[in-house]
DNA sequence: ACCTGAACACCGTTCAAGT
DNA sequence: ACCTGAACACCGTTCAAGT
């Protein structure tokens, strides 16, 4: 631990890190098991430098994933401004699905690099914030049942990471998301019926 | 392809295959990335023999998974005899969740070995048969909406494979499964409200 | 027909030497 | 303080030689 917590990286070091991330995104999106040595070489850095920045495959993949998913997360506030809560939630899920399909190689890399699907290892940060925002807006509007946690939600839509992006993914994703939406609605203030707790 | 389709294996060959599967189940349940060479050695066979039976890691893991999941699948008819359809479905999901937690190492191995979560690469066979049985029983009884495919169902519960088996998995699994059940119920003949298709 | 185990290839990880 | 790239370790895969 030679690097103090807040201290900025040296100029060239920062540049190296950025190049690694840039190359890694491209390579991993293309193929989930692109060798780290290839990424290092294409980024123009030595193996050692690569390792200084990312001590293992998981840390690299998580960092990229985190950065990429931020962009989807950022769409949430905007959607809530322009749509009623339930529609915003559903539209956001669609975006996430689209993202999951576009970056399927990356999602695959994440699955392989991490123990358990820690797609939710991102327990804090923008993704969680976005989900929380969407859920509370809907809960307040009475469009979903109260008490659904972001964790519940992410588990419920976990299936989207499992859909094959080749072939006809769109209807499969839509059916899954519809089903989840119905599950979320069940027991909402307006709706009768709903959650069984025997 | 020296082995004709229906031709039985030679006695020692069959024994080797069985021993590999037995050892692999134990090793992979313990650690998802147990080296194949270790499995071969513990099973008392050479590398070549291992390869003759399982040309790659995926084929080994899939075979074990298929065999293991059969036992859960087999519980479905029994549950339908002793419970009303909706309860049987829910009870079966609970068993699947328990299985997923007990064999988490294996599930992890499967995730890592396959492209996309082909937990559903088992598109035919006992698992699908069991799910179909449960879904049609419920559909006939009017306890779930019509038109839910086994594929839809497995995607909806995909989250259970993502739950960390250490720590407090039970409430998380229960909340997920409750939500899925509610989603399945929505739009059933008896129930008002339900699926939005805009 | 099936088996063994040494040999090979590949990739992640480390480290001595440089600036 | 950071970098390079050769060296090492490990594991999947193949194959010549054996029964």
């Amino acid at each position: 631990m030679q690097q103090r917590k807040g201290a900025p990286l040296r100029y060239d070091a920062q540049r190296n890190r950025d190049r690694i991330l840039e190359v890694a995104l491209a390579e991993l999106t293309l193929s989930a098991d692109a060798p780290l040595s290839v990424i290092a070489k294409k980024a123009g850095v030595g193996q050692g430098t690569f390792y200084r920045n990312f001590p293992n495959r998981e840390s690299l993949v998580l960092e990229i994933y985190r950065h990429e998913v931020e962009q989807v997360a950022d769409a949430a506030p905007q959607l809530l401004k322009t749509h009623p809560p339930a529609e915003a939630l559903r539209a956001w899920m669609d975006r996430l699905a689209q993202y999951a399909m576009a970056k399927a190689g990356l999602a695959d890399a994440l699955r392989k690099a991490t123990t358990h699907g820690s797609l939710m290892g991102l327990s804090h940060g923008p993704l969680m914030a976005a989900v929380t925002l969407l859920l509370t807006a809907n809960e307040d509007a009475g469009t979903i049942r109260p008490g659904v946690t972001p964790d519940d939600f992410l588990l419920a839509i976990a299936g989207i990471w499992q859909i094959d992006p080749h072939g006809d993914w769109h209807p499969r994703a839509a059916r899954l998301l519809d089903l989840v939406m119905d599950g979320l609605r069940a027991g909402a203030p307006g709706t009768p019926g709903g959650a069984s707790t025997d």
Side-chain angles (χ1 to χ4, degrees), chain A:
Chain A
M1 192 144 290
Q2 302 88 321
Q3 185 68 29
R4 218 92 68 58
K5 205 182 178 184
L9 290 171
R10 218 169 66 179
Y11 222 76
D12 52 342
Q14 180 63 50
R15 222 178 66 96
N16 277 335
R17 187 185 171 85
D18 290 345
R19 296 192 61 184
I20 292 171
L21 284 171
E22 186 185 350
V23 171
L25 171 60
E27 292 299 313
L28 290 176
T29 303
L30 201 64
S31 163
D33 31 41
L36 300 183
S37 51
V38 168
I39 295 174
K41 179 157 287 178
K42 287 204 182 182
V45 303
Q47 305 270 73
T49 301
F50 182 92
Y51 249 74
R52 167 184 289 270
N53 283 284
F54 305 99
N56 50 48
R57 178 173 268 260
E58 178 173 353
S59 66
L60 172 68
V61 175
L62 270 179
E63 174 89 12
I64 296 176
Y65 185 76
R66 188 164 12 234
H67 182 260
E68 286 297 299
V69 108
E70 249 179 67
Q71 291 170 292
V72 184
D74 286 348
Q78 186 59 31
L79 285 168
L80 276 172
K81 266 180 223 147
T82 54
H83 299 270
E87 283 179 32
L89 177 58
R90 181 52 212 273
W92 188 82
M93 294 198 297
D94 271 324
R95 289 215 189 183
L96 191 62
Q98 264 186 298
Y99 168 79
M101 294 303 99
K103 300 289 162 81
L106 185 58
D108 226 59
L110 191 65
R111 251 201 312 277
K112 282 176 181 166
T114 62
T115 337
H116 312 115
S118 39
L119 301 166
M120 18 228 70
L122 320 166
S123 306
H124 297 290
L127 179 64
M128 277 303 174
V131 172
T132 305
L133 194 69
L134 287 161
L135 289 179
T136 45
N138 275 275
E139 192 172 325
D140 290 349
T143 46
I144 68 171
R145 82 170 86 176
V148 178
T149 68
D151 182 73
D152 292 336
F153 176 76
L154 289 175
L155 276 184
I157 61 171
I160 60 170
W161 305 103
Q162 219 140 328
I163 297 175
D164 187 348
H166 318 295
D168 225 17
W169 63 267
H170 202 275
R172 289 184 74 197
R175 289 165 68 85
L176 171 62
L177 297 182
D178 280 337
L179 194 134
V180 171
M181 274 302 277
D182 286 337
L184 292 172
R185 259 193 286 266
T191 333
S196 72
T197 327
D198 54 295

